[in-house]
Amino acid sequence: MFHLNKDRAAGIVLGTSFLITMALALFILAFLLAESLPVLREEGLSFITGQVWYVAGDIYGALPMIYGTLAVTLLALIIALPLGIGSAVITSEILTGRTRHIVKSLMEMLAAIPGVVYGLIGIALLTTSVRDLFGLMDGNTIFTAGLLLGIMILPTIMTLSDDAMRSLPGELRAQGRVLGLSHGQTIRRVVLPGSIKGITGAVLLGVSRAMGETISVMLVIGSLDRLPTPIYNVFTSGQSITSKLGREGAEGLGLGLQWSALAGLGLMLFISVMALTFTGNIIRGGVRPKKSKNHEVTG
Amino acid sequence: MILKRVYTFVTGFLLVTLLVMVPGGTAAAKRASIRVTGSTTVLPVAARAARSFMAAHPDVRITVNPGGSGMGVKSTGRGLADIGMVSREITDKERALFKDVDFNVMVFARDAVACVVSSEVYEGGVKRLTREEIKGIYSGTIKNWKEVGGPDRDIFVIDKEAHRGTRHVFMEYVFGEKTPAARGADLVSGANNEEQTKVSQSNSAIGMLSIAWINKDVRGMAIAENGKTIMPTKDNIINGSYPISRDLTFITNGPPQGVVKDFLDYIMSVQGRKIIKDSGYVPLK
Amino acid sequence: MRVRVKDICFFSLCLMAAATAISLLFIIIGYILWHGAPAINFAFLTEGSRDFGAAGGVFYQTTGTVLLMFTAGLIALPIALGTVLFSHVYLGPSYKKTTDLFIYALNGVPTIIFGLLGYIIIGEGLHLGVSWVTGSIILAVMILPSMAVSIDEALSAMPHKYRDAALVLGLGRWHLIRTLLLPRSLPGVLTGLFLGLARAAGETAAIMFTATAFSGVGLPRGISEPVATLQTHILVLAGEATNPRALTNAWGAALILVTLVLALSLTAMFIRRQVRMEAEI
């Protein structure tokens, strides 16, 4: 007779939950792939290079959305990178003990504010400020979305860079001082280069967060499926992949080629974000401090 | 110590949630609920009617969600909504997607879509536009308000999401087709509230809205046609002279039954007609 | 001398960056408080919304957010705990990297994708519709990885020899879990739970098509009814940025939401810190 003992029962129950967790990510990828096949078959390469997204004629070119995603992400990075690393230098190399802990906790609070609240701030404050500051017709622009995202990913970049710098052994700094380097030189020549892997990982995770953020971008980007002219003019309305999905998702869900095209957008987003997350985590893996805080998860 | 107390508290809370959910889940089956989704033009009527209907029928729960006419058609077609709010005709493409669905369309009111502008433009002298002028603005050939008799400012062209009822009706008049590409557009908005907000935030915007959304910041353009100037007013909807008018409809999958029918009957009743009128539309005779 | 000047410039720049970052937090919190506080009063907290959110309160929105978040926590917690316990007891360290990879992958999925797929798979596929239960399942999947990581952190701090010794002594795996791992995982479970709840409460994209209704929502009478939430309420009201009454209520709702989310996050941070301090003693 087959006897089900407690150990085996626990194994089955726990194993099931383990399998569920493991299967989820794979399932999402497989589902997106399957659903986007029709549009890839229909549009081929022009799904990526096409500039026209015209549902009534079943024409789906995602280039404006791809451009929008890259543009807002790049802008966010330009804003968050210097601020994040600069602040990390302060928390990691200057502040100690309690003050450092408080500053880092404050940054984690900034990360915890919901995206829709950032969106509300964007609509009520940022769009009008950007409009008046730059003398634009309207403040719902790619630039506004990038600015908002920059603020949103700042805590991720800052806290993870801080972790990376702190994980460097103290002897390195001592050696720097022995060699006659000043405090600032030690940081510039020893600490920053030494923690470059960790910082790169932090940046990649920040970028992946920026790419996947939906609500705040959707509220301020202007939702226009068109490449700006000239192409670097970020002071016009645009569309990111996420804002397109947020705007058109509910209407196009599950039906016809339009849904397949939306799933295709989702697939592109999924693959890019996965690539960044994996690379970020792998790079960071080498320099991870003993007690990792996993900000990519909490953020 | 602290941890243990927190842990007990959390476990307790989770158990209570569970206890609330399980009986709640079984009881809900007995009570009627109606899900209404779609056009933001129709939404005020549905939401107000739902409120007074629920007051009289406490066992019925009616939830109303915005999303646009396209959402109304599709949610009804796939069975995720009991009633779709639709402010345009169901397109051939939509009918083809739902071959097995017998859409039952109930027209309850007339409405007009106005071409709207920022109040600054209106006061700057642009009080009427011809169809050709609007077409020029939306296709990007007319770029400055002075070309149509207004102030010397670039026109900020606000488009709407392609599946929206207001856009179908407006574009059918302007371009002769329901879903043209608007190459002159500078911004795309969704719900009526959003469109209204964007137009009033700007000092040089043009947009499209149901006449119920016109206010002191968002002015309705008169349409100049065949030497006549026709204002977007309720009177001109009733006498049929305003050219961009439409039916507002509720759609169901097959003829409405049970509480859904009761609710739709209520909208067509005297009280319902008052709600329609108060919302800014013309109830059917 | 030149080194000193360079250093001063360098530190000033860093200091400016840090000051900007911190002041951003205060500006944002201050801005929310400034605009949201006037909306907050007893009626706002205890009444339903009227006039399409321009009047009345956000009672049902608040309860909806809390219900969704707790139900999601209730679904996700056992699965997260089971996953981590399984990988620690039955798989051993050699599988750790692969397991982590999958958890990170799930954690990286943009939340809008959960919303789209959840609608198709759970809403339509399982016929659960736009409802409390659909939203909860989607949020549960979304917060599952952060819970798993927190629990895993707590267990990984425990030396492997404990586990090996227990097994050598002939104690069963279940016994090991019950006596050693479960108590050890407690702080991780709590941290993970609060982090997960905070994430679920702040999430909009994943639930806006799948769980919520804007008008006519009271307390849900069952898990198959939609709920109203603070997040989607803010989203809709944000479209009415020129209607001062609606905007004030949007800020009021935002203030409540931010308070809720920050309270949960701070609790998680507090527990994590408490545990670290105990571990260091």
Side-chain angles (χ1 to χ4, degrees):
Chain A
M1 260 313 264
F2 180 72
H3 182 67
L4 200 69
N5 63 22
K6 273 183 184 169
D7 279 7
R8 191 167 296 167
I12 291 170
V13 172
L14 301 180
T16 312
S17 48
F18 179 80
L19 283 180
I20 292 177
T21 310
M22 295 302 115
L24 277 170
L26 275 184
F27 178 73
I28 291 170
L29 178 63
F31 194 87
L32 283 175
L33 256 174
E35 296 287 299
S36 50
L37 276 182
V39 80
L40 296 177
R41 209 178 300 131
E42 198 72 28
E43 293 279 345
L45 202 61
S46 68
F47 181 60
I48 294 172
T49 56
Q51 295 190 30
V52 180
W53 183 283
Y54 181 57
V55 177
D58 267 341
I59 301 167
Y60 301 100
L63 192 60
M65 281 64 106
I66 298 171
Y67 169 84
T69 293
L70 294 178
V72 292
T73 310
L74 190 66
L75 281 167
L77 206 54
I78 291 173
I79 291 154
L81 197 59
L83 286 180
I85 293 180
S87 328
V89 166
I90 300 289
T91 54
S92 156
E93 306 300 316
I94 311 264
L95 301 180
T96 48
R98 220 179 149 73
T99 342
R100 173 171 180 273
H101 177 76
I102 290 173
V103 172
K104 278 195 81 175
S105 303
L106 288 175
M107 291 313 285
E108 287 186 39
M109 282 170 69
L110 194 59
I113 294 173
V116 69
V117 176
Y118 276 107
L120 183 62
I121 294 171
I123 271 200
L125 176 70
L126 222 49
T127 53
T128 45
S129 316
V130 166
R131 180 189 65 192
D132 299 341
L133 205 63
F134 296 96
L136 305 172
M137 276 204 293
D138 188 76
N140 292 280
T141 63
I142 298 173
F143 175 81
T144 319
L147 187 62
L148 198 56
L149 273 183
I151 300 171
M152 291 180 73
I153 65 168
L154 172 59
T156 311
I157 293 187
M158 184 249 163
T159 46
L160 292 180
S161 303
D162 172 272
D163 281 353
M165 292 182 208
R166 294 288 289 192
S167 71
L168 277 190
E171 302 97 77
L172 274 179
R173 295 182 183 84
Q175 278 169 12
R177 302 308 286 271
V178 167
L179 289 171
L181 297 179
S182 73
H183 190 182
Q185 281 176 315
T186 313
I187 297 171
R188 288 198 301 275
R189 298 195 190 159
V190 180
V191 176
L192 284 178
S195 48
I196 189 71
K197 275 169 87 183
I199 294 174
T200 315
V203 168
L204 290 181
L205 293 176
V207 168
S208 76
R209 190 176 175 214
M211 274 193 164
E213 170 60 28
T214 306
I215 294 292
S216 58
V217 174
M218 181 177 119
L219 285 172
V220 300
I221 198 170
S223 301
L224 186 69
D225 306 339
R226 192 193 298 148
L227 289 177
T229 41
I231 191 78
Y232 50 82
N233 182 9
V234 290
F235 290 101
T236 57
S237 298
Q239 184 88 284
S240 76
I241 291 178
T242 51
S243 69
K244 185 70 179 172
L245 292 176
R247 286 266 181 187
E248 206 169 296
E251 197 262 331
L253 270 170
L255 293 167
L257 204 56
Q258 185 189 4
W259 161 244
S260 180
L262 292 171
L265 286 180
L267 183 68
M268 279 194 262
L269 184 67
F270 183 86
I271 292 175
S272 335
V273 169
M274 280 305 110
L276 288 166
T277 313
F278 280 152
T279 326
N281 276 314
I282 288 168
I283 294 178
R284 259 166 47 78
V287 294
R288 187 178 279 180
K290 257 197 319 218
K291 283 171 194 160
S292 125
K293 281 188 138 194
N294 291 293
H295 292 281
E296 70 278 12
V297 171
T298 63
Chain B
M1 262 307 282
I2 300 173
L3 287 185
K4 216 161 207 175
R5 227 174 292 158
V6 177
Y7 195 56
T8 321
F9 173 77
V10 170
T11 320
F13 204 104
L14 292 181
L15 280 176
V16 170
T17 318
L18 193 68
L19 287 176
V20 173
M21 277 170 59
V22 171
T26 46
K30 278 181 251 157
R31 301 167 185 169
S33 86
I34 305 175
R35 298 158 301 169
V36 188
T37 300
S39 161
T40 54
T41 306
V42 178
L43 185 134
V45 175
R48 286 186 181 123
R51 202 177 164 82
S52 52
F53 187 82
M54 283 193 283
H57 304 81
D59 54 328
V60 182
R61 174 71 58 87
I62 306 172
T63 53
V64 186
N65 251 340
S69 295
M71 183 82 179
V73 174
K74 287 182 176 169
S75 299
T76 312
R78 71 210 320 194
L80 284 169
D82 304 298
I83 300 175
M85 303 181 281
V86 182
S87 61
R88 58 168 163 83
E89 286 168 357
I90 299 172
T91 63
D92 294 341
K93 202 179 165 195
E94 286 164 341
R95 286 196 189 277
L97 279 175
F98 299 104
K99 286 194 192 73
D100 305 331
V101 175
D102 164 33
F103 285 116
N104 185 80
V105 179
M106 184 191 97
V107 179
F108 68 93
R110 288 291 287 173
D111 174 36
V113 176
C115 176
V116 295
V117 296
S118 310
S119 52
E120 291 86 346
V121 174
Y122 192 82
E123 276 139 25
V126 185
K127 294 192 163 56
R128 60 194 199 109
L129 287 171
T130 65
R131 183 207 300 242
E132 286 309 310
E133 284 168 340
I134 301 173
K135 190 173 175 178
I137 291 170
Y138 272 92
S139 34
T141 53
I142 298 176
K143 291 178 185 299
N144 194 303
W145 280 116
K146 73 177 180 215
E147 295 172 58
V148 290
D152 181 10
R153 268 205 302 273
D154 282 347
I155 304 177
F156 185 61
V157 185
I158 303 179
D159 196 2
K160 272 198 133 193
E161 289 165 5
H163 67 96
R164 299 274 174 180
T166 301
R167 190 182 193 271
H168 278 222
V169 175
F170 184 73
M171 290 302 181
E172 180 149 50
Y173 172 74
V174 176
F175 283 85
E177 55 173 317
K178 286 172 180 161
T179 48
R183 292 181 213 294
D186 294 307
L187 181 84
V188 180
S189 79
N192 286 352
N193 285 335
E194 194 186 2
E195 177 102 358
Q196 190 189 37
T197 301
K198 302 282 191 236
V199 174
S200 62
Q201 274 179 343
S202 169
N203 64 5
S204 53
I206 186 169
M208 59 196 92
L209 271 174
S210 156
I211 58 162
W213 265 261
I214 292 174
N215 62 26
K216 66 174 185 349
D217 295 321
V218 178
R219 301 296 185 85
M221 287 279 97
I223 298 291
E225 202 175 57
N226 306 326
K228 281 186 294 189
T229 300
I230 312 138
M231 292 292 293
T233 59
K234 273 190 178 184
D235 289 340
N236 288 342
I237 300 175
I238 295 167
N239 66 31
S241 59
Y242 185 75
I244 325 176
S245 60
R246 59 172 164 183
D247 289 335
L248 299 181
T249 69
F250 288 111
I251 65 168
T252 47
N253 181 355
Q257 283 164 350
V259 281
V260 174
K261 183 173 189 306
D262 295 344
F263 177 56
L264 291 177
D265 287 346
Y266 175 77
I267 290 176
M268 300 303 269
S269 72
V270 179
Q271 296 102 307
R273 288 163 55 88
K274 182 168 184 321
I275 290 169
I276 295 169
K277 226 172 157 175
D278 292 346
S279 302
Y281 308 119
V282 180
L284 288 193
K285 288 262 161 58
Chain C
M1 213 43 219
R2 269 190 55 212
V3 172
R4 274 199 70 101
V5 173
K6 256 189 169 175
D7 269 17
I8 289 171
C9 289
F10 175 67
F11 283 121
S12 322
L13 283 176
C14 289
L15 209 60
M16 270 161 59
T20 313
I22 295 298
S23 49
L24 272 175
L25 174 74
F26 286 108
I27 291 171
I28 289 169
I29 301 279
Y31 200 76
I32 297 167
L33 266 174
W34 176 258
H35 289 274
I40 307 284
N41 52 44
F42 186 70
F44 189 71
L45 297 174
T46 54
E47 281 178 13
S49 69
R50 277 179 286 116
D51 208 2
F52 310 108
V58 290
F59 177 70
Y60 298 121
Q61 283 75 17
T62 313
T63 47
T65 295
V66 172
L67 282 177
L68 269 185
M69 143 192 129
F70 269 110
T71 319
L74 193 72
I75 299 168
L77 194 58
I79 301 179
L81 187 60
T83 304
V84 177
L85 287 177
F86 186 81
S87 77
H88 274 261
V89 179
Y90 291 81
L91 287 183
S94 46
Y95 291 90
K96 183 97 178 69
K97 274 221 160 108
T98 325
T99 314
D100 280 356
L101 206 67
F102 277 84
I103 291 178
Y104 283 131
L106 190 59
N107 189 59
V109 177
T111 57
I112 182 78
I113 289 181
F114 287 125
L116 296 175
L117 298 196
Y119 186 90
I120 302 283
I121 296 163
I122 304 167
E124 278 203 316
L126 303 179
H127 299 287
L128 292 172
V130 176
S131 64
W132 174 9
V133 62
T134 305
S136 301
I137 295 174
I138 292 170
L139 288 179
V141 174
M142 189 188 88
I143 63 178
L144 180 61
S146 35
M147 284 187 169
V149 168
S150 288
I151 300 170
D152 181 65
E153 244 182 83
L155 288 185
S156 299
M158 184 183 64
H160 267 293
K161 59 181 182 205
Y162 283 16
R163 205 193 68 178
D164 298 341
L167 289 178
V168 167
L169 285 172
L171 298 174
R173 288 192 151 100
W174 172 239
H175 190 79
L176 172 71
I177 292 170
R178 205 164 47 93
T179 55
L180 196 61
L181 293 180
L182 270 182
R184 276 281 182 160
S185 68
L186 187 65
V189 166
L190 287 177
T191 314
L193 180 64
F194 281 102
L195 283 179
L197 292 181
R199 256 196 99 179
E203 178 56 32
T204 312
I207 58 165
M208 62 184 179
F209 319 138
T210 57
T212 64
F214 176 63
S215 181
V217 189
L219 288 174
R221 297 174 304 179
I223 53 172
S224 59
E225 285 200 350
V227 293
T229 66
L230 290 169
Q231 303 95 295
T232 47
H233 198 62
I234 298 169
L235 180 64
V236 175
L237 294 188
E240 298 184 52
T242 46
N243 178 350
R245 287 192 307 151
L247 197 59
T248 304
N249 282 356
W251 284 113
L255 180 56
I256 296 173
L257 185 65
V258 167
T259 311
L260 177 70
V261 171
L262 286 187
L264 290 165
S265 311
L266 285 173
T267 313
M269 275 154 62
F270 173 76
I271 296 172
R272 197 162 55 188
R273 181 135 187 271
Q274 204 76 6
V275 172
R276 289 239 171 94
M277 280 162 65
E278 274 169 31
E280 277 159 19
I281 291 167

